[in-house]
Amino acid sequence: MKPTIRLSQEQVDAFHRDGFLAVESLTSPAEVAVLREVYDRLFSRDVGEDRLELAAVDDEGRETLPQIMNPEKYAPELDDTQARANALAIARQLLGPETERAGDHAIMKPPGHGAPTPWHQDEAYWHPGYEHAGISVWMPLQPAVPESGCMQFVPGSHRLPVVPHHLIDPDAHALEADDPVADEDAVAVPLPPGGCTIHHCRTLHYAGANRSAEPRRAYIMGFSVPAQPLAERRDYYWQRPEWHD
Ligand code: NI
């Protein structure tokens, strides 16, 4: 598919200034409806190790933050969407023509008991032996508001180095930045279905618990320029040894 979107210079400048950007419409309502069906089907089937728990189960044994890695392996139709064509076009505008896909995932926040996604920088999960430049395009498939767990960002935090993180729970996979973020430093970004936020891999971000009556479905597309090996590997002591071979 061909892209149908192009960021204005103002939007490009805002991304580089703030480390994030909101776009009201990445794709059509018709495609969002199709994607919701694909998404719900994915979460109702067994995808083995590609399903990870980002947060621990609750007191009643319910999942609170399930994630599916590489969802296109199970639903190849996800490879050919208007949303993806537009997200790639945006990524190339922001990071340059070398930019390629760098992995997708889907995060589901169950209604009523979906856990918060802790404050973190995505690069804290990545290989510490490389120089990275990447973005994530985060698209909700229903309205996203603070009460349902829309994205929140700290403007300008993409200029920070990777800060120390820790695992939030020994049984879960989510990392949290050690230093707490003050409420007044955070900007919440509500979105309509099929809109998106775009954030840099060092931008501190968070999404609250889902207190709404509907699952908070988010589809996330990653893009990066080829990573360059560093002369000296950084020490990301918070990572699980099995994350990188
Ligand atoms: Ni993240």
Side-chain angles (χ1 to χ4, degrees), residues 1 8 10 13 15 43 72 75 83-84 104 111 113 129 131 148 150 153 158 162 164 207 209 230 237 240:
M1 272 192 214
S8 67
E10 226 168 55
D13 292 346
F15 174 82
F43 275 93
E72 72 285 357
R84 165 170 303 293
D104 290 4
H113 64 277
E131 180 73 39
S148 67
C150 72
F153 302 98
H158 61 308
V162 175
L230 288 169
Y237 54 85
R240 292 192 191 280

Side-chain angles (χ1 to χ4, degrees), residues 105 107 117-118 120-123 125 136 138 151 199 203 205-206 220:
H105 53 133
I107 303 180
T117 312
H120 67 281
Q121 294 166 305
D122 291 336
E123 198 178 339
Y125 287 89
S136 290
W138 187 98
M151 289 285 267
H199 66 269
T203 307
H205 58 286
Y206 165 92
I220 300 130

Side-chain angles (χ1 to χ4, degrees), residues 19 52 57-58 71 123 158 193 196 243:
L52 297 174
V57 296
D58 70 6
E123 198 178 339
H158 61 308
C196 71
W243 286 4

Side-chain angles (χ1 to χ4, degrees), residues 37-221:
E37 276 175 36
V38 171
Y39 186 104
D40 288 346
R41 214 162 46 233
L42 272 171
F43 275 93
S44 67
R45 61 175 283 187
D46 180 9
V47 298
E49 286 187 345
D50 277 325
R51 184 165 178 148
L52 297 174
E53 296 308 323
L54 287 170
V57 296
D58 70 6
D59 293 345
E60 296 171 44
R62 299 177 298 189
E63 292 180 307
T64 58
L65 201 52
Q67 163 170 250
I68 294 177
M69 307 297 292
N70 311 307
E72 72 285 357
K73 261 168 62 182
Y74 308 97
E77 61 268 44
L78 293 172
D79 276 335
D80 190 27
T81 63
Q82 193 62 61
R84 165 170 303 293
N86 284 343
L88 178 62
I90 287 173
R92 288 189 170 157
Q93 259 194 287
L94 295 175
L95 296 176
E98 306 275 274
T99 306
E100 292 295 346
R101 287 174 68 163
D104 290 4
H105 53 133
I107 303 180
M108 208 268 282
K109 210 164 265 203
H113 64 277
T117 312
W119 283 104
H120 67 281
Q121 294 166 305
D122 291 336
E123 198 178 339
Y125 287 89
W126 297 1
H127 198 298
Y130 290 82
E131 180 73 39
H132 298 282
I135 61 165
S136 290
V137 176
W138 187 98
M139 178 176 65
L141 303 179
Q142 68 295 303
V145 292
E147 297 70 37
S148 67
C150 72
M151 289 285 267
Q152 303 194 28
F153 302 98
V154 178
S157 55
H158 61 308
R159 289 189 214 93
L160 293 170
V162 175
V163 300
H165 284 66
H166 55 270
L167 281 164
I168 50 164
D169 189 283
D171 298 323
H173 282 80
L175 292 172
E176 177 174 47
D178 288 359
D179 285 345
V181 169
D183 285 351
E184 62 267 29
D185 292 336
V187 175
V189 185
L191 284 173
C196 71
T197 57
I198 300 138
H199 66 269
H200 185 268
C201 56
R202 289 200 179 169
T203 307
L204 279 162
H205 58 286
Y206 165 92
N210 182 5
R211 298 191 189 86
S212 77
E214 193 179 10
R216 195 227 57 187
R217 305 170 185 84
Y219 191 77
I220 300 130
M221 293 173 272

